[in-house]
Amino acid sequence: MRWLRVGALLVVFGLLIAAAGWMRPYGEPVRTDMDAYFLERTPEEVVVTNVVTAVVFDYRGFDTLGEATVLFTAVMAVALILRRWRR
Amino acid sequence: MSVVVRTVTRLLVPLALIFGAYVIMHGHLTPGGGFQGGAVLASVVALLIVAFGAERLRRRQTSLTSVEDLGALMFVVLAFVGIGSTFFYNALAGARGLFGGTEAGSLWAGGTVPLMNWAVGLKVMAGLGSIVLLMALFGGDDDR
């Protein structure tokens, strides 16, 4: 059983190493249409120099709303479970 | 905690507050933003808990959660500003109103983006801060 586990781990490790060899070189993504769009349009459309912020709060704002909801739910759950109830 | 820790905390808290506010305020110009600046501000709450004990901050817990609700509400209201076109449409950008500068790179440009940075910054600060505070309060009161 122990050797089975070690073997499975080695197989996964080997697959990861092989996948790392297959990776595209850094800085050459498969598609560049979207990043070119954002980099060109952000200064005029959002009037902002930080393109990441423009994507997070403007182009993909709905995604950020979900992210904020996750944090809100986490705080709500912690407050619900850990606060001291009146006895 | 010891006198040394308390004194260093008293020195560090204003600096950390200024740094967090800076990261939030310049979120649309430099690396960083609401989430990152809010995390810096939440570290101030954690530092205060470590130095002075959670019991001294117990009464602030309600106001912290209120600030988090306020930040979330601000975020959703700002998302509805551009509802004329789409949800989350940046109607204030370049509109010569609040944050309506026309030059990218100006602090007073970007429309709803800097305002949303502030909303999310407040929200993350109060949210993470109240999580840390609630966990510290739950762990019992050992502020020595």
Side-chain angles (χ1 to χ4, degrees), chain A residues 10-72:
Chain A
L10 279 178
V11 166
V12 172
F13 186 69
L15 282 176
L16 283 175
I17 292 293
W22 274 90
M23 276 199 319
R24 288 183 65 84
Y26 183 75
E28 287 177 31
V30 185
R31 305 290 303 259
T32 54
D33 324 10
M34 284 311 277
D35 23 332
Y37 178 92
F38 286 137
L39 287 174
E40 280 167 21
R41 298 290 192 86
T42 294
E44 12 178 315
E45 281 185 356
V46 196
V47 205
V48 149
T49 46
N50 188 348
V51 182
V52 176
T53 308
V55 171
V56 165
F57 286 112
D58 194 321
Y59 295 112
R60 299 282 180 270
F62 202 62
D63 192 29
T64 310
L65 182 65
E67 208 174 331
T69 313
V70 168
L71 181 68
F72 189 80

Side-chain angles (χ1 to χ4, degrees), chain B residues 27-92:
Chain B
H28 56 302
L29 305 177
T30 51
F35 285 99
Q36 293 85 348
V40 171
L41 290 182
S43 73
V44 171
V45 180
L47 193 63
L48 286 175
I49 290 172
V50 168
F52 297 103
E55 279 304 319
R56 280 183 68 173
L57 289 167
R58 176 184 285 283
R59 285 190 304 149
R60 310 276 179 219
Q61 192 232 305
T62 325
S63 46
L64 265 184
T65 33
S66 310
V67 168
E68 211 228 342
D69 298 345
L70 189 80
L73 266 179
M74 251 175 83
F75 188 65
V76 177
V77 165
L78 284 168
F80 270 108
V81 163
I83 197 73
S85 334
T86 47
F87 196 46
F88 273 100
Y89 179 72
N90 197 340
L92 297 178

